[in-house]
Amino acid sequence: MEVIVAKSAGFCFGVKRAVDTVYEQVEKASGDDKIYTYGPIIHNEQVVEELQNHGVEVLEEGKLGEVKKGTIIIRSHGVEKKIYDQIEAQNLTCVDATCPFVKRIHKVVEKESAEGKQIIIVGNDGHPEVVGIEGWCHNKAVVIGTVEEAENYQGSKETELCVVSQTTFRMNKFQEIVDIFATKGYNVNVVNTICNATEERQTEAKAIAQKADVMIVIGGAHSSNSRKLYEICKSECEQTYFIQTLDDLHLELPKSVRLVGITAGASTPNNIIEEVQSYVRRNF
Ligand code: F3S
């Protein structure tokens, strides 16, 4: 039996950068310096737990006002502008680990909304990255997550639209949504802000799933990019499993299985991928 592990599995550039940033801060910190991440640094419980063991606290939503002293690290998918303002107003240190690709979206929507365009964010309403992007718009952005929502959009045709995307959104679905706005006669300025890391990971996962008998997708339960990876693989390979760690894997492989594919979402650390891979190689 052959095992293929996707080259693009695991931490993307932005997540690696954010996690490294937290460890750098841990090393720099002395004595009673307190380090907080604004929300969990990534959607991975193991990583968050390990950081907590190093004294890094996860700041829950709405709790920023209670912090008197310390460093606040902004995670890779970014936050609203008002959070930076609040950190500054409270005289706290801000370390910004927002992925540069997300930062680019903030800049685009800030500029385009200031010029009077209606911002359309193609993404999952309520996802922290989307909330962050909304928080850089000068006017109220509209979040569109489905083709139906795009079809039902009723905004004025007089106003030019600027369409951006959550970085982890699926490319073909984004294109479909954009096409709907154009067909409806809107003047659309499309800024494709889907991150290459996601696209590459999705394309590679699909290619492996097409030839695999069994596919394993490793990712956090709350990670949207991992869930999407699972959907893509599942549509190509009936026997696709979604797991968080090796403990969730209860595989029984029939002899007829020739190829097992493994991929992982952007917030899955390498050691977990390694563990799963060597388990499958050892046991089947
Ligand atoms: Fe950044 Fe892309 Fe990762 S936007 S956080 S490199 S998925």
Side-chain angles (χ1 to χ4, degrees):
M1 192 190 71
E2 196 190 342
V3 180
I4 299 184
V5 181
K7 287 189 194 73
S8 55
F11 279 8
C12 61
F13 151 80
V15 166
K16 184 173 185 307
R17 184 173 168 273
V19 174
D20 289 350
T21 303
V22 183
Y23 280 105
E24 272 163 30
Q25 292 299 317
V26 168
E27 269 175 36
K28 270 200 224 157
S30 63
D32 58 349
D33 286 353
K34 192 82 202 132
I35 300 170
Y36 301 89
T37 57
Y38 193 85
I41 191 75
I42 54 169
H43 289 302
N44 184 284
E45 287 161 22
Q46 287 74 30
V47 174
V48 170
E49 246 177 63
E50 198 192 309
L51 285 167
Q52 272 167 343
N53 294 337
H54 283 86
V56 178
E57 220 174 281
V58 176
L59 197 58
E60 284 171 30
E61 213 176 304
K63 294 279 163 78
L64 180 58
E66 295 169 18
V67 180
K68 302 273 174 282
K69 222 178 126 207
T71 299
I72 314 286
I73 304 175
I74 307 292
R75 52 193 177 168
S76 57
H77 45 227
V79 293
E80 305 117 283
K81 182 176 182 303
K82 67 174 188 203
I83 304 297
Y84 292 86
D85 298 343
Q86 195 180 342
I87 292 172
E88 201 184 323
Q90 287 177 219
N91 272 326
L92 304 167
T93 309
C94 179
V95 173
D96 193 357
T98 305
C99 175
F101 302 137
V102 177
K103 203 77 222 154
R104 175 178 164 240
I105 310 178
H106 294 173
K107 290 196 180 124
V108 168
V109 299
E110 194 182 22
K111 178 174 169 284
E112 301 288 311
S113 64
E115 288 171 7
K117 286 181 200 146
Q118 171 63 54
I119 306 295
I120 306 278
I121 305 166
V122 178
N124 302 319
D125 203 5
H127 184 284
E129 183 189 320
V130 172
V131 175
I133 298 168
E134 286 179 279
W136 286 88
C137 298
H138 292 279
N139 44 27
K140 191 156 172 35
V142 174
V143 181
I144 299 282
T146 62
V147 165
E148 293 71 41
E149 282 167 15
E151 273 160 359
N152 294 333
Y153 179 76
Q154 301 274 352
S156 154
K157 298 240 163 77
E158 304 293 300
T159 314
E160 198 178 326
L161 305 183
C162 170
V163 184
V164 296
S165 166
Q166 184 179 339
T167 53
T168 48
F169 210 76
R170 274 178 74 171
M171 189 59 190
N172 48 5
K173 205 166 149 196
F174 175 70
Q175 200 50 55
E176 236 181 289
I177 290 173
V178 165
D179 289 348
I180 291 170
F181 283 111
T183 317
K184 284 174 81 172
Y186 284 98
N187 185 359
V188 219
N189 168 22
V190 181
V191 187
N192 179 359
T193 49
I194 293 181
C195 166
N196 277 344
T198 313
E199 216 179 304
E200 274 166 27
R201 191 181 297 106
Q202 290 176 353
T203 311
E204 192 186 10
K206 188 174 178 176
I208 296 176
Q210 272 165 354
K211 48 187 181 181
D213 303 300
V214 170
M215 195 70 199
I216 301 168
V217 179
I218 317 165
H222 306 292
S223 153
S224 80
N225 80 86
S226 305
R227 292 235 144 250
K228 273 176 202 145
L229 215 47
Y230 171 75
E231 279 170 29
I232 291 169
C233 293
K234 181 80 182 168
S235 68
E236 300 296 335
C237 172
E238 185 45 39
Q239 276 206 73
T240 297
Y241 299 90
F242 186 76
I243 61 169
Q244 286 206 65
T245 66
L246 184 56
D247 295 344
D248 304 332
L249 188 64
H250 308 290
L251 264 190
E252 273 181 39
L253 298 180
K255 286 265 170 300
S256 58
V257 168
R258 292 176 168 274
L259 179 63
V260 176
I262 300 174
T263 187
S267 45
T268 306
N270 243 334
N271 61 324
I272 297 184
I273 304 171
E274 277 303 314
E275 252 174 45
V276 172
Q277 157 175 215
S278 49
Y279 174 84
V280 176
R281 283 190 202 279
R282 243 184 308 135
N283 289 282
F284 300 102

